[in-house]
Amino acid sequence: LQATPLAPVECFPIAGESPPIAPSAEMASIVCSFLPRCFFADEEKAPSDIIETLPTVPALGLELPLSLKLHMFDTCPFCARSTLVLGWLNVPYERVLYGFGEGASAAEKGYNPTGGPILLTGKKKLPVLEGQGVPCPQGMRGLPESMEICSYIGACTGRLPPATLREDLADWLKRFTPAMHKLCRPRLKQMPVKDFADKRDVEFYVEKFTKAGFDFSGVEAATPALRDEMAPLLAELDTLLRGRTAEGVPCLNAWGLGIDDAMVVPFLRNLTAVKHLVWPPLTKEYLEKSAAKAGVKLFTAYAC
């Protein structure tokens, strides 16, 4: 693998230690493997299966607990982000699902205000990763926040590429998100999942977004126009997919599935609740294969 030459790097010793030793060729190879594609002199030579062939390099002292529970909502894209990363890295875990209104007050049209997610962190907020040895904020039973969960799992396994902060991807997400929410929110509450098994879950969901200014009836009436708006955005995503894993899964970057993909795939998954949406071939393959690799089901069978 030919990398762009870099300026010599001075190594600073730790106080009281022997003089620094230059990094080994093996370590240099590992570090170069994690560099974003833009660091390679010849982009065509950036391998698509780096992540699959790298040795596991966990952070010092970090080991995955033998038993993990992910407390989650099924339709929440942030919860799905965590399930994708756990699945892609073959980390076994148990899913614990909640109703969307559980933990909210009656005034908010919720129920069990002191139970459900509240018991985990004191907040009605998921996902939360629970397990012996999982680092938890004081007073909490688990680790909240999807990005922190993904970062922790990545640190334990040593096999999760971080976000690249690609400008083209950020620009696409900015234009994609408004239409995505308008298409998904009226339909997700109709999915046959635990999130909305109780009518109070649906009532809480509608109340929550209506108070925030979301017009459910208005966006439902605008569905044909919103589908037309979404079609070129999904076609554009085809052009942002730069690689494939060793198993043939399309991905955003040449070095395999990582945080960039975990930020996009959950939104695409929720779009499968929308009937008659036009899916470009590569984006469709990307969604279906990346979700299947993690054992995450789509909503295609229930699209409306």
Side-chain angles (χ1 to χ4, degrees), residues 50-222:
I50 286 175
I51 297 304
E52 283 73 12
T53 58
L54 272 178
T56 299
V57 190
L60 291 176
L62 279 180
E63 291 185 6
L64 281 171
L66 294 177
S67 177
L68 286 172
K69 290 182 180 180
L70 184 69
H71 300 265
M72 57 179 287
F73 300 119
D74 201 350
T75 60
C76 168
F78 308 107
C79 296
R81 178 183 296 164
S82 302
T83 62
L84 287 166
V85 166
L86 287 162
W88 291 340
L89 297 178
N90 297 314
V91 176
Y93 69 100
E94 176 188 350
R95 299 197 329 160
V96 183
L97 296 167
Y98 295 82
F100 201 76
E102 190 171 7
S105 68
E108 298 172 301
K109 297 192 176 181
Y111 58 98
N112 193 15
T114 60
I118 302 297
L119 296 174
L120 300 169
T121 63
K123 300 178 181 179
K124 188 196 168 308
K125 192 173 183 180
L126 296 174
V128 172
L129 185 69
E130 182 184 13
Q132 187 174 1
V134 173
C136 310
Q138 188 173 3
M140 297 187 182
R141 277 178 46 191
L143 179 65
E145 301 294 341
S146 64
M147 290 300 288
E148 292 187 35
I149 292 170
C150 292
S151 179
Y152 167 67
I153 296 298
C156 289
T157 62
R159 299 181 66 243
L160 182 66
T164 61
L165 305 182
R166 281 172 51 180
E167 291 184 3
D168 58 349
L169 185 58
D171 175 68
W172 180 83
L173 280 168
K174 184 178 180 180
R175 292 179 287 111
F176 163 84
T177 303
M180 180 270 299
H181 283 318
K182 291 175 183 177
L183 283 166
C184 290
R185 284 177 181 163
R187 293 165 175 84
L188 290 177
K189 62 184 174 64
Q190 300 179 57
M191 296 297 103
V193 294
K194 174 67 174 176
D195 298 23
F196 305 110
D198 189 304
K199 68 177 183 179
R200 293 171 295 179
D201 296 321
V202 178
E203 290 170 356
F204 171 78
Y205 181 87
V206 172
E207 180 77 0
K208 170 186 168 78
F209 289 114
T210 299
K211 278 188 174 180
F214 191 79
D215 180 5
F216 279 89
S217 58
V219 296
E220 286 191 77

Side-chain angles (χ1 to χ4, degrees), residues 21-41:
I21 301 173
S24 68
E26 180 183 5
M27 181 57 69
S29 174
I30 292 173
V31 171
C32 286
S33 294
F34 276 107
L35 289 175
R37 185 181 183 126
C38 60
F39 279 82
F40 293 98

